[in-house]
Amino acid sequence: MKTNPGRFFEDFRLGETIRHATPRTVTVGDVALYTGLYGPRFAVQSSDAFARAFGYPRSPLDDLLTFHMVFGKTVPDVSLNALANLGYAEGGFRRPVYPGETLSTVSEVIGLKESSNRQTGVVYVRSVGSDERGETVLSYCRWVLVRKRDPEAAIAEEHVPSLAKVVDPQDLAGALPKLSAAAYDTELAGSPHRFADYAVGEKIDHVDGMTVEEAEHQIATRLFQNTAKVHFDGLAAKDTRFGRRLIYGGHVISLARALSFNGLANVFALAGINAGRHVGPLFAGDTVYAWSEVLACAEIGRDDVGLLRLRMVATKNQPCGTFPDRVGEGYDPAVILDLDYWAFVPK
Amino acid sequence: MKTNPGRFFEDFRLGETIRHATPRTVTVGDVALYTGLYGPRFAVQSSDAFARAFGYPRSPLDDLLTFHMVFGKTVPDVSLNALANLGYAEGGFRRPVYPGETLSTVSEVIGLKESSNRQTGVVYVRSVGSDERGETVLSYCRWVLVRKRDPEAAIAEEHVPSLAKVVDPQDLAGALPKLSAAAYDTELAGSPHRFADYAVGEKIDHVDGMTVEEAEHQIATRLFQNTAKVHFDGLAAKDTRFGRRLIYGGHVISLARALSFNGLANVFALAGINAGRHVGPLFAGDTVYAWSEVLACAEIGRDDVGLLRLRMVATKNQPCGTFPDRVGEGYDPAVILDLDYWAFVPK
Amino acid sequence: MKTNPGRFFEDFRLGETIRHATPRTVTVGDVALYTGLYGPRFAVQSSDAFARAFGYPRSPLDDLLTFHMVFGKTVPDVSLNALANLGYAEGGFRRPVYPGETLSTVSEVIGLKESSNRQTGVVYVRSVGSDERGETVLSYCRWVLVRKRDPEAAIAEEHVPSLAKVVDPQDLAGALPKLSAAAYDTELAGSPHRFADYAVGEKIDHVDGMTVEEAEHQIATRLFQNTAKVHFDGLAAKDTRFGRRLIYGGHVISLARALSFNGLANVFALAGINAGRHVGPLFAGDTVYAWSEVLACAEIGRDDVGLLRLRMVATKNQPCGTFPDRVGEGYDPAVILDLDYWAFVPK
């Protein structure tokens, strides 16, 4: 058979390495489309002149564009038969990516755990995105719930990996070139608030909302060469429990990140992903809002930038003035994303 | 507070200068997306080879793409709490913009006039878009009706500026490089009509219509980093008088300009904006049509190009064979845009 | 009159040459948007590094992007008053096209045949797309049913051209640079199947489906500067037999080609178009599926690549596991496209 049916749970082997298909040269075309789809306004990624004054050779890609490009390649091999994307951990953006670079992805299977009903299992992978010289630009772990082809199939070896709850910020300090905090123009950047202006426990409602259309998430998800059919096949979707196309979870992350400019305008680059969970599904016609909480402020031995640990919560169809959050064991029903990440802020 | 609530009328001061956030390097990616969103077919902007033969170093950006990029930056500071965009005047495109250049915008508050009910006021700004060396590429005035936070708040100083009814065409003559009318290939450009073929009073129905989708205007407006929430938040829009998302007025201008190719194919570059008014709102699902009238033909001391003063009228859901226009004090209800501009045509 | 009413059947003359308007410089922006609209994953077009390792100077454009750009220019002159796009033949992709090149199109009228009722006639054209030096990059024949302005009008000279049923594969052999089959990394390309792995008669269901939105086909069709109003004017469309906007037939070809990656991942470049027919209309909301059949495998005197003759059938709202096909004189009602083409596969 020449078509890819996708791997089922029993097809994965602990420790195996999967070299994913379709390397991708990222371009200013991808950047423009990313801007049109999400509307980010971070000055470093928007202006070559601003980026150069600050210390970059030119504007780097939005880190989430890099993330989606690296992630998309894993879908045909890892999650074509997934029922749910359960979580992320140990994410690290190793260096800025620039237009013209070519990204490819390799994943290692670091964990396998069959469900008690033997219908499904959890697959843990560590995915590494590299440039054309093989240098790592991004790595992260994610785990997904994958169907078994045959409930009776035996699993060769199981293992639940022990993943860090939080990425050590010192490990992320080297991701950026030497920058100049003094050359960072806060007026052009849209906010006066620098590293020292954020305090642990501070919550910020990002105010604005964005209604999502089918065409938008489909264009985005194809741009990332993510092939999960739940996002594209509206006819097949009628027979699912949702009855319609499900929006790629990464679309929510990018929307929330773009909305977070209003309050976090100087949080100019992502550094690490500590944890992430797609709490609920998003559908076309829904409106996304977001709020953030400062979880930690870390000095990393640099005089240009510090790291903020932020929690970004996205909701659908409910503004975030009341900071919809966890409720008991679960979440407020409006919450769709809970992402815990490290990001750089100028001093 | 770290989020931007937008300025209210009493927050503006006559004579103040606002340096807007988020400089933007424009790229061939932006150009492609602009083409996909509006479908312009002007040869100068479409083909580097055509532009070079004519005398440009390469294809410049569509002038309206420049306009939207410059305009978008002003929204968070000027019109986040605006109730209406009332008009434009004294617009001048100072030179062509090319991919790779970085645009930023500064606005000066040139007028303030409180409404008699003290609930709102009109803010007049002159916005100047510049490249990374600070050279002006575009300037224009606009005035918007802005809410007051507190109707009782006093206004420091009021002033209604005196704005030219028409930009002097001689002031626009230097905006283009030296071109060669003989090298302008009318067959490749799509029309045989040159400067001398247009006569004052001539009206042209542009025939074609374009139905607008939510995804289209949202992608466009985000591309321009215009953050006005009325364009994006479908949930909040339910509580407005329109009950749905309002389309960015500039979207109409770009659609009408692209439609005007059919009849004005050689009107290859904008020079100035004399006046402009968004007469009515546009919503997704509406179909836009346009017609133009030649108001003046101006010699500007160049042997390559002349200037046409054109009036471009856009309608919704009504073809323009009957030239829907002003009616009494108002307009035919189908009219949504009335724009008076200068543009270059080869001799 | 300055607007283009389009040619009617009696306006065409056998043997005349039409130089079409609006040359176009293709860019990485066009490539990104094409990827977002269709989701192709062919490694040669996606990665400069992959393309270079294989023997290209860099990633070429997707051949269908070239096709649409060349085709779009012909619409205002050839098919503005067309009732149907009847067929394609003798298509040849002469060399890869790269970002930065400028494409323009010239068509020759090679056939004219009035319908017996004298209301319409079939126009046959051979369209040639060239780069800025005039070198041919693509040529193909198509024939369309065009309305007469006046049923009584006489036709100067009629002729039905004799078109090849199949393009000779030997004529297509020189379209590619010297490549290295050994350097073609099938793992990165997404499939182990090379030229020798395909057999005549083999059928492949491409499994995945793609639901199409109005915004998507409109953005695509404008990107290609195709102006046929049936694709854009939703208001006028209400009075047509379909009652809604009709999707550009080329949109179906690109969707089906992108879907065909799942089964034909190494069919990395188009070579020729033998025949093509838009069997049925596609509308927004429909879901497109596709299947392919191997019609022939041709050695072309190269040790790097061979040619497969493939038939690509697209359906709407019906998955292709049962290979919906011709039925009697017609087709299964789900079929919307039947395309017979030659394409390159590494050995």
Side-chain angles (χ1 to χ4, degrees), chain B:
Chain B
M1 184 154 98
K2 291 196 168 73
T3 51
N4 173 24
R7 287 163 189 247
F8 291 84
F9 181 67
E10 63 266 43
D11 300 329
F12 290 92
R13 291 291 171 272
L14 196 64
E16 83 174 305
T17 288
I18 306 169
R19 244 176 115 225
H20 303 294
T22 313
R24 171 70 167 274
T25 303
V26 291
T27 71
V28 293
D30 300 314
V31 171
L33 197 41
Y34 189 87
T35 303
L37 290 165
Y38 301 110
R41 289 180 288 140
F42 300 94
V44 166
Q45 285 76 24
S46 180
S47 163
D48 282 337
F50 188 96
R52 274 194 292 261
F54 189 29
Y56 285 88
R58 66 183 288 195
S59 282
L61 261 62
D62 190 294
D63 298 302
L64 289 173
L65 176 53
T66 300
F67 177 82
H68 298 315
M69 290 287 189
V70 168
F71 180 103
K73 299 178 198 325
T74 69
V75 170
D77 296 314
V78 173
S79 46
L80 216 54
N81 298 309
L83 291 165
N85 202 13
L86 299 175
Y88 305 96
E90 297 192 2
F93 294 86
R94 298 301 167 194
R95 68 165 183 79
V97 175
Y98 300 97
E101 296 197 283
T102 298
L103 302 177
S104 54
T105 309
V106 172
S107 295
E108 183 187 357
V109 179
I110 59 170
L112 290 173
K113 177 64 185 171
E114 193 177 24
S115 309
S116 53
N117 66 9
R118 305 201 61 195
Q119 303 286 323
T120 60
V122 179
V123 178
Y124 298 76
V125 295
R126 184 183 306 278
S127 297
V128 177
S130 304
D131 66 17
E132 63 269 38
R133 292 176 307 276
E135 188 188 343
T136 297
V137 299
L138 165 65
S139 70
Y140 65 92
C141 297
R142 76 162 166 139
W143 49 107
V144 291
L145 185 69
V146 177
R147 272 192 296 253
K148 288 181 75 180
R149 186 188 293 104
D150 171 10
E152 301 308 312
I155 305 309
E157 186 183 0
E158 294 187 78
H159 173 70
V160 175
S162 169
L163 298 171
K165 290 266 185 261
V166 182
V167 179
D168 182 342
Q170 306 311 320
D171 290 349
L172 304 170
L176 297 188
K178 170 74 189 148
L179 302 171
S180 164
Y184 185 93
D185 183 330
T186 53
E187 204 171 46
L188 276 185
S191 159
H193 306 294
R194 292 174 180 264
F195 180 63
D197 299 319
Y198 289 90
V200 173
E202 187 174 357
K203 289 183 180 181
I204 301 169
D205 169 20
H206 301 305
V207 180
D208 306 306
M210 193 72 80
T211 304
V212 181
E213 302 296 320
E214 297 281 14
E216 294 170 353
H217 77 85
Q218 291 198 146
I219 291 173
T221 310
R222 284 185 297 243
L223 183 72
F224 310 145
Q225 295 173 315
N226 175 332
T227 61
K229 67 188 67 178
V230 293
H231 310 316
F232 300 114
D233 187 334
L235 186 65
K238 286 185 183 153
D239 297 327
T240 65
R241 64 185 163 129
F242 299 125
R244 47 199 163 147
R245 283 165 278 177
L246 179 65
I247 293 176
Y248 165 47
H251 201 72
V252 178
I253 300 177
S254 280
L255 282 172
R257 165 72 176 152
L259 292 171
S260 79
F261 179 88
N262 196 353
L264 298 174
N266 293 329
V267 178
F268 70 93
L270 301 192
I273 296 173
N274 299 311
R277 190 167 159 204
H278 296 293
V279 176
L282 182 73
F283 304 103
D286 288 339
T287 302
V288 174
Y289 301 87
W291 64 272
S292 295
E293 178 180 5
V294 180
L295 298 181
C297 305
E299 287 283 355
I300 48 171
R302 296 183 63 136
D303 62 5
D304 50 355
V305 295
L307 280 175
L308 292 184
R309 182 178 168 197
L310 294 157
R311 197 175 148 231
M312 179 167 77
V313 177
T315 60
K316 65 176 178 188
N317 305 326
Q318 186 171 314
C320 289
T322 59
F323 304 103
D325 205 342
R326 296 185 196 97
V327 174
E329 299 290 294
Y331 280 88
D332 181 303
V335 174
I336 54 174
L337 173 75
D338 188 354
L339 186 76
D340 175 342
Y341 68 104
W342 286 108
F344 292 102
V345 189
K347 287 188 167 179

Side-chain angles (χ1 to χ4, degrees), chain A residues 19-303:
Chain A
R19 241 175 117 225
H20 303 294
T22 312
R24 171 72 166 273
T25 303
V26 291
T27 72
V28 292
D30 299 315
V31 170
L33 197 39
Y34 189 87
T35 302
L37 290 165
Y38 302 111
R41 289 181 287 141
F42 299 94
V44 166
Q45 286 74 24
S46 180
S47 163
D48 282 337
F50 187 97
R52 275 193 291 261
F54 189 30
Y56 284 89
R58 65 182 290 192
S59 282
L61 262 62
D62 191 293
D63 298 303
L64 289 173
L65 175 53
T66 300
F67 177 81
H68 298 314
M69 291 286 189
V70 168
F71 181 102
K73 299 177 198 326
T74 69
V75 170
D77 296 313
V78 173
S79 46
L80 216 56
N81 297 309
L83 291 165
N85 202 14
L86 299 174
Y88 305 97
E90 297 191 2
F93 294 87
R94 297 302 168 195
R95 68 165 182 81
V97 175
Y98 300 98
E101 296 197 285
T102 298
L103 302 177
S104 55
T105 308
V106 172
S107 295
E108 183 188 358
V109 179
I110 59 170
L112 291 172
K113 175 65 185 168
E114 192 176 25
S115 308
S116 53
N117 67 9
R118 304 201 62 194
Q119 303 287 322
T120 59
V122 179
V123 178
Y124 299 76
V125 293
R126 184 182 307 277
S127 296
V128 177
S130 304
D131 66 18
E132 64 268 39
R133 292 175 308 276
E135 188 189 344
T136 298
V137 299
L138 166 66
S139 71
Y140 65 92
C141 298
R142 76 162 166 140
W143 49 107
V144 291
L145 184 68
V146 177
R147 273 192 296 255
K148 287 182 74 179
R149 186 187 294 104
D150 171 9
E152 301 307 312
I155 306 308
E157 185 183 359
E158 295 187 79
H159 172 69
V160 175
S162 169
L163 298 171
K165 290 266 185 261
V166 182
V167 178
D168 183 342
Q170 307 310 321
D171 290 348
L172 304 170
L176 298 188
K178 170 74 189 151
L179 302 171
S180 164
Y184 186 92
D185 183 332
T186 53
E187 205 171 48
L188 277 185
S191 158
H193 305 294
R194 292 174 180 264
F195 180 62
D197 298 320
Y198 289 90
V200 173
E202 188 174 357
K203 289 184 180 180
I204 300 169
D205 169 20
H206 301 305
V207 180
D208 307 307
M210 195 71 82
T211 305
V212 181
E213 303 296 321
E214 298 281 15
E216 294 170 351
H217 77 84
Q218 291 198 148
I219 291 173
T221 309
R222 284 185 297 243
L223 183 72
F224 310 144
Q225 295 173 316
N226 175 332
T227 60
K229 66 187 71 177
V230 292
H231 309 316
F232 300 114
D233 187 333
L235 186 65
K238 285 184 183 152
D239 298 327
T240 64
R241 64 185 162 129
F242 299 124
R244 48 199 163 147
R245 284 165 275 176
L246 179 65
I247 293 176
Y248 164 47
H251 201 72
V252 178
I253 300 177
S254 280
L255 282 173
R257 165 72 176 153
L259 292 171
S260 80
F261 179 89
N262 196 354
L264 298 174
N266 294 328
V267 177
F268 70 92
L270 301 192
I273 296 173
N274 298 311
R277 189 168 159 203
H278 297 293
V279 175
L282 182 73
F283 304 102
D286 287 339
T287 302
V288 174
Y289 301 87
W291 63 272
S292 294
E293 178 180 6
V294 181
L295 298 179
C297 306
E299 287 283 357
I300 48 172
R302 296 183 63 134
D303 61 6

Side-chain angles (χ1 to χ4, degrees), chain B residues 32 36-38 40-41 46-48 185 187-188 190 197-198 202 205 210-211 213 216 262-263 287 289 317, chain C residues 2-4 19-25 29-30 102 214-215 218-219 222-223 225 227 229 232-235 245:
Chain B
L37 290 165
Y38 301 110
R41 289 180 288 140
S46 180
S47 163
D48 282 337
D185 183 330
E187 204 171 46
L188 276 185
D197 299 319
Y198 289 90
E202 187 174 357
D205 169 20
M210 193 72 80
T211 304
E213 302 296 320
E216 294 170 353
N262 196 353
T287 302
Y289 301 87
N317 305 326
Chain C
K2 292 195 167 72
T3 51
N4 174 25
R19 244 176 115 225
H20 303 294
T22 313
R24 172 71 165 273
T25 303
D30 299 315
T102 298
E214 298 280 15
Q218 292 198 148
I219 291 173
R222 284 186 296 243
L223 183 72
Q225 295 173 315
T227 62
K229 66 187 68 176
F232 299 115
D233 187 335
L235 186 65
R245 284 165 276 176

